[in-house]
Coordinates of all heavy atoms in Angstrom, one line a residue:
M532 N 186.5 49.1 2.8 CA 186.2 48.7 4.2 C 187.3 49.2 5.1 O 188.4 49.2 4.8 CB 186.0 47.2 4.3 CG 185.3 46.8 5.6 SD 185.1 45.0 5.7 CE 185.4 44.8 7.4
F533 N 186.9 49.7 6.2 CA 187.8 50.3 7.2 C 188.1 49.3 8.3 O 187.1 48.8 9.0 CB 187.1 51.6 7.8 CG 188.0 52.4 8.6 CD1 189.2 52.8 8.2 CD2 187.6 52.6 9.9 CE1 190.1 53.6 9.0 CE2 188.5 53.4 10.8 CZ 189.7 53.9 10.3
V534 N 189.3 48.9 8.4 CA 189.7 47.8 9.4 C 190.6 48.4 10.4 O 191.6 49.1 10.1 CB 190.3 46.6 8.7 CG1 190.7 45.6 9.7 CG2 189.4 46.0 7.7
I535 N 190.3 48.2 11.7 CA 191.2 48.6 12.8 C 191.8 47.4 13.4 O 191.0 46.5 13.9 CB 190.4 49.5 13.8 CG1 189.8 50.7 13.2 CG2 191.4 49.9 14.9 CD1 188.8 51.4 14.1
F536 N 193.1 47.3 13.4 CA 193.7 46.2 14.2 C 194.8 46.8 15.0 O 195.3 47.9 14.8 CB 194.1 45.1 13.3 CG 195.2 45.4 12.4 CD1 196.5 45.2 12.7 CD2 194.9 45.9 11.1 CE1 197.5 45.6 11.8 CE2 195.9 46.3 10.2 CZ 197.2 46.1 10.6
G537 N 195.3 46.0 16.0 CA 196.4 46.5 16.8 C 196.7 45.4 17.8 O 196.3 44.3 17.8
L538 N 197.6 45.9 18.7 CA 198.1 45.0 19.8 C 197.6 45.5 21.1 O 197.7 46.7 21.3 CB 199.6 44.9 19.8 CG 200.2 44.4 18.5 CD1 201.7 44.4 18.6 CD2 199.7 43.0 18.2
A539 N 197.1 44.7 21.9 CA 196.7 45.1 23.2 C 197.1 44.2 24.3 O 197.0 43.0 24.2 CB 195.1 45.2 23.2
G540 N 197.6 44.7 25.4 CA 197.9 43.9 26.5 C 196.7 43.7 27.4 O 195.9 44.6 27.6
S541 N 196.4 42.5 27.8 CA 195.3 42.2 28.6 C 195.7 42.2 30.1 O 196.9 42.2 30.4 CB 194.6 40.9 28.2 OG 195.5 39.9 28.5
K542 N 194.8 42.3 30.9 CA 195.0 42.3 32.4 C 195.8 41.0 32.7 O 195.4 39.9 32.4 CB 193.7 42.3 33.1 CG 193.7 43.3 34.2 CD 192.3 43.3 34.9 CE 192.5 43.6 36.4 NZ 191.4 43.1 37.2
P543 N 196.9 41.2 33.4 CA 197.7 40.0 33.8 C 196.9 39.1 34.8 O 196.2 39.6 35.6 CB 199.0 40.5 34.4 CG 198.7 41.9 34.8 CD 197.6 42.4 33.9
E544 N 197.2 37.8 34.6 CA 196.6 36.8 35.6 C 197.6 36.7 36.7 O 198.7 36.3 36.5 CB 196.5 35.4 34.9 CG 195.1 35.0 34.4 CD 195.2 33.8 33.6 OE1 195.7 32.8 34.1 OE2 194.8 33.9 32.4
I545 N 197.1 36.9 37.9 CA 198.0 36.8 39.1 C 197.5 35.7 40.0 O 196.3 35.6 40.4 CB 198.1 38.1 39.8 CG1 198.6 39.2 38.9 CG2 199.0 38.0 41.0 CD1 198.7 40.6 39.4
T546 N 198.4 34.8 40.3 CA 198.1 33.7 41.3 C 199.1 33.8 42.4 O 200.3 33.9 42.2 CB 198.3 32.3 40.6 OG1 197.6 32.4 39.3 CG2 197.7 31.2 41.4
V547 N 198.6 33.6 43.6 CA 199.5 33.6 44.8 C 200.1 32.2 44.8 O 199.4 31.2 44.9 CB 198.8 34.0 46.1 CG1 199.8 33.9 47.2 CG2 198.2 35.3 46.0
S548 N 201.5 32.1 44.8 CA 202.1 30.8 44.7 C 202.3 30.3 46.1 O 202.0 31.0 47.1 CB 203.5 30.9 44.0 OG 204.4 31.5 44.9
T549 N 202.8 29.0 46.2 CA 203.1 28.4 47.5 C 204.5 28.6 47.9 O 205.0 28.0 48.8 CB 202.7 26.9 47.5 OG1 203.3 26.3 46.4 CG2 201.2 26.8 47.5
E550 N 205.2 29.3 47.0 CA 206.7 29.5 47.3 C 206.8 30.7 48.2 O 206.5 31.8 47.9 CB 207.4 29.9 46.0 CG 207.8 28.7 45.2 CD 208.9 29.1 44.2 OE1 208.8 30.1 43.5 OE2 209.9 28.3 44.1
Y551 N 207.4 30.4 49.4 CA 207.6 31.4 50.4 C 209.1 31.9 50.2 O 210.0 31.2 50.5 CB 207.4 30.8 51.8 CG 207.2 31.8 52.9 CD1 206.1 32.7 52.9 CD2 208.1 31.9 54.0 CE1 205.9 33.6 53.9 CE2 207.9 32.8 55.0 CZ 206.8 33.7 54.9 OH 206.5 34.6 55.9
L552 N 209.2 33.1 49.7 CA 210.6 33.5 49.3 C 211.0 34.8 50.0 O 210.2 35.6 50.4 CB 210.6 33.8 47.8 CG 210.4 32.6 46.9 CD1 210.3 33.0 45.5 CD2 211.5 31.5 47.1
N553 N 212.3 34.9 50.2 CA 213.0 36.0 50.7 C 213.3 37.0 49.6 O 214.1 36.6 48.7 CB 214.2 35.6 51.5 CG 214.7 36.7 52.4 OD1 214.2 37.8 52.4 ND2 215.7 36.3 53.2
C554 N 212.7 38.1 49.5 CA 212.9 39.0 48.3 C 214.3 39.6 48.4 O 214.7 40.2 49.4 CB 211.8 40.1 48.4 SG 212.1 41.3 47.1
P555 N 215.1 39.5 47.3 CA 216.4 40.1 47.3 C 216.4 41.6 47.2 O 217.4 42.3 47.5 CB 217.1 39.5 46.1 CG 216.0 39.0 45.2 CD 214.8 38.7 46.1
N556 N 215.2 42.2 46.9 CA 215.1 43.6 46.8 C 214.7 44.3 48.1 O 215.3 45.2 48.6 CB 214.2 43.9 45.6 CG 214.2 45.4 45.2 OD1 215.3 46.0 45.1 ND2 213.0 46.0 45.1
C557 N 213.5 43.9 48.6 CA 213.0 44.5 49.8 C 213.2 43.7 51.1 O 212.8 44.2 52.2 CB 211.5 44.9 49.6 SG 210.4 43.4 49.6
H558 N 213.7 42.5 51.0 CA 214.1 41.7 52.1 C 212.9 41.3 53.0 O 213.1 41.0 54.1 CB 215.2 42.3 52.9 CG 216.4 42.7 52.1 ND1 217.3 41.7 51.6 CD2 216.8 43.9 51.6 CE1 218.2 42.3 50.9 NE2 217.9 43.6 50.9
N559 N 211.7 41.2 52.4 CA 210.6 40.7 53.1 C 210.4 39.3 52.7 O 210.6 38.9 51.5 CB 209.3 41.5 52.8 CG 209.3 42.9 53.5 OD1 209.2 42.9 54.7 ND2 209.4 43.9 52.7
Q560 N 209.8 38.4 53.6 CA 209.5 37.1 53.2 C 208.0 37.0 53.0 O 207.2 37.3 53.9 CB 209.9 36.1 54.3 CG 211.4 35.8 54.3 CD 211.7 34.5 55.0 OE1 210.9 33.9 55.7 NE2 213.0 34.1 54.9
R561 N 207.6 36.6 51.8 CA 206.2 36.5 51.4 C 206.0 35.4 50.4 O 207.0 34.9 49.8 CB 205.8 37.8 50.7 CG 205.6 39.0 51.6 CD 204.4 38.8 52.6 NE 204.1 40.0 53.4 CZ 204.8 40.4 54.5 NH1 205.9 39.7 54.9 NH2 204.5 41.5 55.1
F562 N 204.7 35.0 50.3 CA 204.4 34.1 49.2 C 204.4 35.0 47.9 O 203.7 36.0 47.8 CB 203.0 33.5 49.4 CG 202.9 32.5 50.5 CD1 202.3 32.8 51.7 CD2 203.5 31.3 50.3 CE1 202.3 31.9 52.7 CE2 203.5 30.3 51.4 CZ 202.9 30.7 52.6
W563 N 205.2 34.6 47.0 CA 205.3 35.4 45.7 C 204.2 35.2 44.8 O 203.5 34.1 44.9 CB 206.7 35.1 45.1 CG 207.8 35.9 45.7 CD1 207.9 36.2 47.0 CD2 209.0 36.3 45.0 NE1 209.1 36.9 47.1 CE2 209.8 37.0 45.9 CE3 209.4 36.2 43.7 CZ2 211.0 37.6 45.6 CZ3 210.6 36.8 43.4 CH2 211.4 37.5 44.3
N564 N 203.9 36.1 43.9 CA 202.9 36.0 42.9 C 203.4 35.4 41.7 O 204.5 35.7 41.3 CB 202.3 37.4 42.6 CG 201.5 38.0 43.7 OD1 200.9 37.3 44.5 ND2 201.5 39.3 43.8
L565 N 202.6 34.6 41.0 CA 202.8 34.1 39.7 C 202.0 34.9 38.7 O 200.8 35.1 38.9 CB 202.4 32.6 39.6 CG 203.2 31.6 40.4 CD1 202.5 30.2 40.4 CD2 204.6 31.5 39.9
I566 N 202.7 35.4 37.7 CA 202.0 36.4 36.8 C 202.1 35.9 35.4 O 203.2 35.6 34.9 CB 202.7 37.8 37.0 CG1 202.5 38.3 38.4 CG2 202.1 38.8 36.0 CD1 203.4 39.5 38.8
H567 N 201.0 35.9 34.7 CA 201.0 35.6 33.3 C 200.4 36.8 32.6 O 199.3 37.2 32.7 CB 200.0 34.4 33.1 CG 199.9 34.0 31.7 ND1 198.9 33.1 31.3 CD2 200.5 34.3 30.6 CE1 199.0 32.9 30.0 NE2 200.0 33.6 29.5
E568 N 201.3 37.3 31.7 CA 201.0 38.5 31.0 C 200.8 38.2 29.5 O 201.6 37.5 28.9 CB 202.1 39.5 31.1 CG 201.8 40.8 31.7 CD 203.0 41.7 31.7 OE1 203.7 41.8 30.7 OE2 203.3 42.3 32.8
R569 N 199.7 38.7 28.9 CA 199.4 38.3 27.5 C 199.3 39.6 26.7 O 198.7 40.6 27.1 CB 198.1 37.6 27.4 CG 198.2 36.1 27.3 CD 196.8 35.6 27.2 NE 196.2 35.6 28.5 CZ 195.5 34.6 29.0 NH1 195.3 33.5 28.3 NH2 195.0 34.6 30.2
T570 N 199.8 39.5 25.5 CA 199.6 40.5 24.5 C 198.8 39.9 23.4 O 199.1 38.9 22.9 CB 200.9 41.1 23.9 OG1 201.7 41.6 25.0 CG2 200.7 42.2 23.0
N571 N 197.6 40.6 23.1 CA 196.7 40.0 22.1 C 196.8 40.8 20.8 O 197.0 42.0 20.8 CB 195.3 40.0 22.6 CG 195.1 39.1 23.8 OD1 195.4 38.0 23.7 ND2 194.6 39.7 24.9
F572 N 196.6 40.0 19.7 CA 196.3 40.7 18.4 C 194.8 41.0 18.4 O 194.0 40.2 18.7 CB 196.6 39.7 17.3 CG 196.3 40.3 15.9 CD1 197.3 41.2 15.3 CD2 195.2 40.0 15.3 CE1 197.0 41.7 14.1 CE2 194.9 40.6 14.0 CZ 195.8 41.4 13.4
S573 N 194.5 42.3 18.2 CA 193.1 42.6 18.2 C 192.6 43.2 16.9 O 193.3 43.8 16.2 CB 192.9 43.6 19.4 OG 193.5 44.8 19.1
L574 N 191.3 43.0 16.7 CA 190.6 43.5 15.5 C 189.4 44.3 16.0 O 188.6 43.7 16.8 CB 190.3 42.3 14.7 CG 189.9 42.6 13.2 CD1 191.1 43.2 12.5 CD2 189.6 41.2 12.6
F575 N 189.2 45.5 15.6 CA 188.1 46.4 16.1 C 188.1 46.4 17.6 O 187.0 46.3 18.2 CB 186.8 45.9 15.5 CG 186.7 46.1 14.0 CD1 186.8 45.0 13.2 CD2 186.6 47.3 13.4 CE1 186.7 45.1 11.8 CE2 186.6 47.5 12.1 CZ 186.6 46.4 11.3
F576 N 189.3 46.4 18.2 CA 189.4 46.5 19.7 C 189.0 45.2 20.4 O 188.8 45.2 21.6 CB 188.7 47.7 20.3 CG 189.1 49.0 19.6 CD1 188.2 49.7 18.7 CD2 190.4 49.5 19.7 CE1 188.6 50.8 18.1 CE2 190.8 50.6 19.1 CZ 189.9 51.3 18.3
M577 N 188.7 44.1 19.7 CA 188.4 42.9 20.3 C 189.6 42.0 20.2 O 190.2 41.8 19.1 CB 187.3 42.1 19.6 CG 185.9 42.9 19.7 SD 185.2 42.8 21.3 CE 184.9 41.1 21.4
P578 N 190.1 41.5 21.4 CA 191.3 40.5 21.3 C 190.9 39.3 20.4 O 189.9 38.7 20.7 CB 191.5 40.2 22.7 CG 190.6 40.9 23.6 CD 189.6 41.6 22.7
V579 N 191.7 39.0 19.5 CA 191.4 37.9 18.6 C 192.2 36.6 19.0 O 191.7 35.6 19.2 CB 191.7 38.2 17.1 CG1 191.4 37.0 16.2 CG2 190.9 39.4 16.7
F580 N 193.5 36.8 19.1 CA 194.4 35.7 19.6 C 195.6 36.2 20.2 O 196.1 37.3 19.9 CB 194.7 34.7 18.4 CG 195.4 35.4 17.3 CD1 196.8 35.6 17.3 CD2 194.7 35.7 16.1 CE1 197.4 36.2 16.2 CE2 195.3 36.4 15.1 CZ 196.6 36.6 15.1
P581 N 196.1 35.5 21.2 CA 197.3 35.9 21.9 C 198.6 35.8 21.0 O 198.7 34.7 20.4 CB 197.4 35.1 23.2 CG 196.6 33.9 22.8 CD 195.6 34.2 21.8
I582 N 199.4 36.7 21.0 CA 200.6 36.6 20.2 C 201.9 36.5 21.1 O 202.9 36.1 20.6 CB 200.8 37.7 19.2 CG1 200.8 39.1 19.9 CG2 199.8 37.6 18.0 CD1 201.3 40.2 19.0
K583 N 201.8 37.0 22.3 CA 202.9 36.9 23.1 C 202.5 36.6 24.6 O 201.6 37.2 25.1 CB 203.6 38.3 23.1 CG 205.1 38.2 23.5 CD 205.8 39.5 23.2 CE 205.5 40.6 24.2 NZ 206.1 41.9 23.9
N584 N 203.2 35.7 25.2 CA 203.0 35.4 26.6 C 204.2 35.6 27.4 O 205.3 35.3 26.9 CB 202.6 33.9 26.7 CG 201.2 33.7 26.2 OD1 200.2 34.1 26.8 ND2 201.1 33.0 25.1
K585 N 204.1 36.2 28.5 CA 205.2 36.4 29.4 C 204.9 35.9 30.8 O 203.7 36.0 31.2 CB 205.6 37.8 29.5 CG 206.6 38.3 28.4 CD 207.2 39.6 28.8 CE 208.5 39.9 28.1 NZ 209.1 41.1 28.5
Y586 N 205.8 35.2 31.4 CA 205.6 34.6 32.7 C 206.6 35.2 33.7 O 207.8 35.2 33.4 CB 205.7 33.1 32.6 CG 204.8 32.5 31.6 CD1 205.3 32.3 30.3 CD2 203.5 32.1 31.9 CE1 204.5 31.8 29.3 CE2 202.7 31.6 30.9 CZ 203.2 31.4 29.6 OH 202.3 30.9 28.6
F587 N 206.1 35.5 34.9 CA 207.0 36.0 35.9 C 206.6 35.4 37.3 O 205.5 35.0 37.5 CB 206.8 37.5 36.1 CG 207.1 38.4 34.9 CD1 206.0 38.7 34.0 CD2 208.3 38.8 34.7 CE1 206.3 39.5 32.9 CE2 208.6 39.6 33.6 CZ 207.6 39.9 32.7
K588 N 207.5 35.5 38.2 CA 207.1 35.4 39.6 C 207.6 36.7 40.2 O 208.7 37.2 39.8 CB 207.7 34.2 40.3 CG 209.2 34.0 40.4 CD 209.5 32.8 41.1 CE 211.0 32.5 41.2 NZ 211.4 31.3 41.9
A589 N 206.8 37.3 41.1 CA 207.2 38.6 41.6 C 206.8 38.8 43.1 O 205.9 38.2 43.6 CB 206.5 39.7 40.8
C590 N 207.6 39.6 43.7 CA 207.4 39.9 45.1 C 206.1 40.8 45.2 O 206.0 41.7 44.5 CB 208.6 40.7 45.6 SG 208.3 41.4 47.3
P591 N 205.2 40.4 46.1 CA 203.9 41.2 46.2 C 204.1 42.5 46.8 O 203.2 43.4 46.8 CB 203.0 40.3 47.0 CG 203.9 39.4 47.8 CD 205.2 39.2 47.0
I592 N 205.2 42.7 47.5 CA 205.4 44.0 48.2 C 206.0 45.1 47.3 O 205.5 46.2 47.1 CB 206.2 43.8 49.4 CG1 205.4 42.9 50.4 CG2 206.6 45.1 50.1 CD1 206.2 42.5 51.6
C593 N 207.1 44.7 46.7 CA 207.8 45.7 45.9 C 207.8 45.5 44.4 O 208.3 46.2 43.6 CB 209.3 45.8 46.3 SG 210.2 44.3 45.9
N594 N 207.1 44.3 44.0 CA 207.0 44.0 42.6 C 208.3 43.6 41.9 O 208.4 43.6 40.7 CB 206.3 45.0 41.8 CG 204.8 44.9 41.9 OD1 204.3 43.8 42.0 ND2 204.1 46.0 42.0
Y595 N 209.3 43.3 42.7 CA 210.6 42.8 42.1 C 210.3 41.5 41.5 O 209.6 40.6 42.1 CB 211.6 42.7 43.2 CG 212.9 42.0 42.7 CD1 213.9 42.8 42.1 CD2 213.1 40.6 42.9 CE1 215.1 42.1 41.7 CE2 214.2 40.0 42.5 CZ 215.2 40.8 41.9 OH 216.3 40.1 41.4
G596 N 210.6 41.3 40.2 CA 210.2 40.0 39.6 C 211.3 39.3 38.8 O 212.4 39.9 38.5
Q597 N 211.1 38.1 38.6 CA 212.0 37.3 37.7 C 211.2 36.7 36.6 O 210.1 36.1 36.9 CB 212.6 36.1 38.6 CG 213.6 36.6 39.6 CD 214.0 35.5 40.6 OE1 213.4 34.4 40.6 NE2 215.0 35.8 41.4
E598 N 211.7 36.7 35.4 CA 210.9 36.1 34.3 C 211.1 34.6 34.4 O 212.2 34.1 34.7 CB 211.4 36.7 33.0 CG 210.5 36.3 31.9 CD 210.7 37.1 30.6 OE1 211.5 38.1 30.6 OE2 210.1 36.7 29.6
L599 N 210.0 33.9 34.1 CA 210.1 32.4 34.1 C 209.8 31.9 32.7 O 209.2 32.5 31.9 CB 209.0 31.9 35.0 CG 209.0 32.3 36.5 CD1 207.6 31.8 37.1 CD2 210.1 31.7 37.2
S600 N 210.3 30.7 32.5 CA 209.9 30.0 31.2 C 208.5 29.5 31.4 O 208.0 29.4 32.5 CB 210.9 28.8 31.0 OG 210.7 27.8 32.0
K601 N 207.8 29.2 30.3 CA 206.5 28.7 30.4 C 206.4 27.4 31.2 O 205.5 27.2 32.1 CB 205.9 28.4 29.0 CG 204.5 28.1 29.0 CD 204.0 27.8 27.6 CE 202.5 27.4 27.6 NZ 202.0 27.1 26.3
E602 N 207.4 26.5 31.0 CA 207.4 25.2 31.7 C 207.5 25.4 33.2 O 206.8 24.8 34.0 CB 208.6 24.4 31.2 CG 208.5 23.9 29.8 CD 208.6 24.9 28.8 OE1 209.3 26.0 29.0 OE2 208.0 24.8 27.7
K603 N 208.4 26.4 33.6 CA 208.6 26.6 35.0 C 207.3 27.2 35.7 O 206.9 26.9 36.8 CB 209.8 27.6 35.2 CG 210.3 27.8 36.6 CD 210.9 26.6 37.2 CE 211.2 26.8 38.7 NZ 211.5 25.5 39.4
Y604 N 206.7 28.1 34.9 CA 205.5 28.8 35.4 C 204.4 27.7 35.6 O 203.8 27.7 36.7 CB 205.1 29.8 34.3 CG 203.7 30.4 34.6 CD1 203.5 31.5 35.5 CD2 202.6 29.9 34.0 CE1 202.3 32.0 35.7 CE2 201.3 30.4 34.2 CZ 201.2 31.5 35.1 OH 199.9 32.0 35.4
L605 N 204.2 26.8 34.6 CA 203.2 25.8 34.8 C 203.5 24.9 35.9 O 202.6 24.4 36.6 CB 203.1 25.1 33.4 CG 202.5 25.9 32.3 CD1 202.5 25.1 31.0 CD2 201.0 26.4 32.6
E606 N 204.8 24.6 36.1 CA 205.2 23.7 37.2 C 204.8 24.3 38.5 O 204.2 23.7 39.4 CB 206.7 23.5 37.1 CG 207.3 22.4 38.1 CD 208.8 22.5 38.1 OE1 209.4 22.6 37.0 OE2 209.3 22.6 39.2
L607 N 205.1 25.6 38.7 CA 204.8 26.3 39.9 C 203.3 26.4 40.1 O 202.7 26.3 41.2 CB 205.4 27.7 40.0 CG 207.0 27.7 40.1 CD1 207.5 29.1 39.9 CD2 207.4 27.2 41.4
L608 N 202.6 26.7 39.0 CA 201.1 26.8 39.1 C 200.5 25.5 39.5 O 199.5 25.5 40.3 CB 200.6 27.2 37.7 CG 199.2 27.8 37.6 CD1 199.1 29.2 38.4 CD2 198.8 28.0 36.2
N609 N 201.0 24.4 39.0 CA 200.5 23.1 39.3 C 200.7 22.8 40.8 O 199.8 22.3 41.5 CB 201.2 22.0 38.5 CG 200.5 21.8 37.2 OD1 199.3 22.2 37.0 ND2 201.2 21.3 36.2
K610 N 201.8 23.2 41.3 CA 202.1 23.0 42.7 C 201.2 23.8 43.6 O 200.6 23.3 44.6 CB 203.6 23.5 43.0 CG 204.6 22.4 43.3 CD 205.8 23.0 43.8 CE 207.0 22.6 43.0 NZ 208.2 23.4 43.3
T611 N 200.9 25.0 43.1 CA 200.0 25.9 43.8 C 198.6 25.3 43.9 O 197.9 25.4 44.9 CB 199.9 27.3 43.1 OG1 201.3 27.8 43.1 CG2 199.0 28.3 43.8
N612 N 198.2 24.7 42.8 CA 196.8 24.1 42.7 C 196.8 22.7 43.4 O 195.8 22.0 43.4 CB 196.4 23.9 41.3 CG 196.2 25.3 40.6 OD1 195.9 26.2 41.3 ND2 196.3 25.4 39.3
G613 N 197.9 22.3 44.0 CA 197.9 21.1 44.8 C 198.0 19.8 43.9 O 197.6 18.7 44.4
N614 N 198.5 19.9 42.7 CA 198.6 18.7 41.9 C 200.0 18.0 42.0 O 200.9 18.7 42.1 CB 198.4 19.0 40.4 CG 196.9 19.5 40.1 OD1 196.0 19.0 40.8 ND2 196.8 20.4 39.3
Ligands
ZN1633 ZN1 210.3 42.7 47.4

């Protein structure tokens, strides 16, 4: 039997946060984006399960970003959703 498996990055989930930040790179003040990037283990080009998660917050203008811990990401996401 012929089996194809691999790793595939899926489209990142982007949420506009309620954090109004001054970007240290482009010096614009904007609501930064919260970004969740997933890499999936795939079989026959179908994502089967996620093996790697990465969390960032990033400037929407120049994409300058900072990596976040999962806890911090969820905390910011909860704030954004008004919880
Ligand atoms: Zn920027």
Side-chain angles (χ1 to χ4, degrees):
M532 195 182 144
F533 187 57
V534 178
I535 302 168
F536 65 92
L538 301 177
S541 62
K542 225 177 148 205
E544 257 171 59
I545 299 175
T546 311
V547 180
S548 79
T549 51
E550 275 199 315
Y551 198 63
L552 297 174
N553 196 351
C554 177
N556 189 48
C557 67
H558 306 288
N559 286 294
Q560 282 200 350
R561 284 294 185 281
F562 292 106
W563 278 31
N564 290 329
L565 293 170
I566 300 167
H567 179 190
E568 239 180 46
R569 258 181 286 224
T570 304
N571 294 306
F572 178 82
S573 66
L574 198 59
F575 295 108
F576 307 110
M577 295 287 293
V579 181
F580 55 85
I582 54 163
K583 201 169 76 183
N584 288 291
K585 268 192 161 186
Y586 305 91
F587 300 92
K588 61 178 179 182
C590 170
I592 295 176
C593 67
N594 277 325
Y595 172 86
Q597 291 170 348
E598 193 164 351
L599 300 170
S600 65
K601 186 182 181 182
E602 289 71 28
K603 187 72 190 166
Y604 171 84
L605 290 175
E606 188 192 312
L607 291 172
L608 197 66
N609 278 337
K610 253 190 232 168
T611 301
N612 293 334
N614 294 324

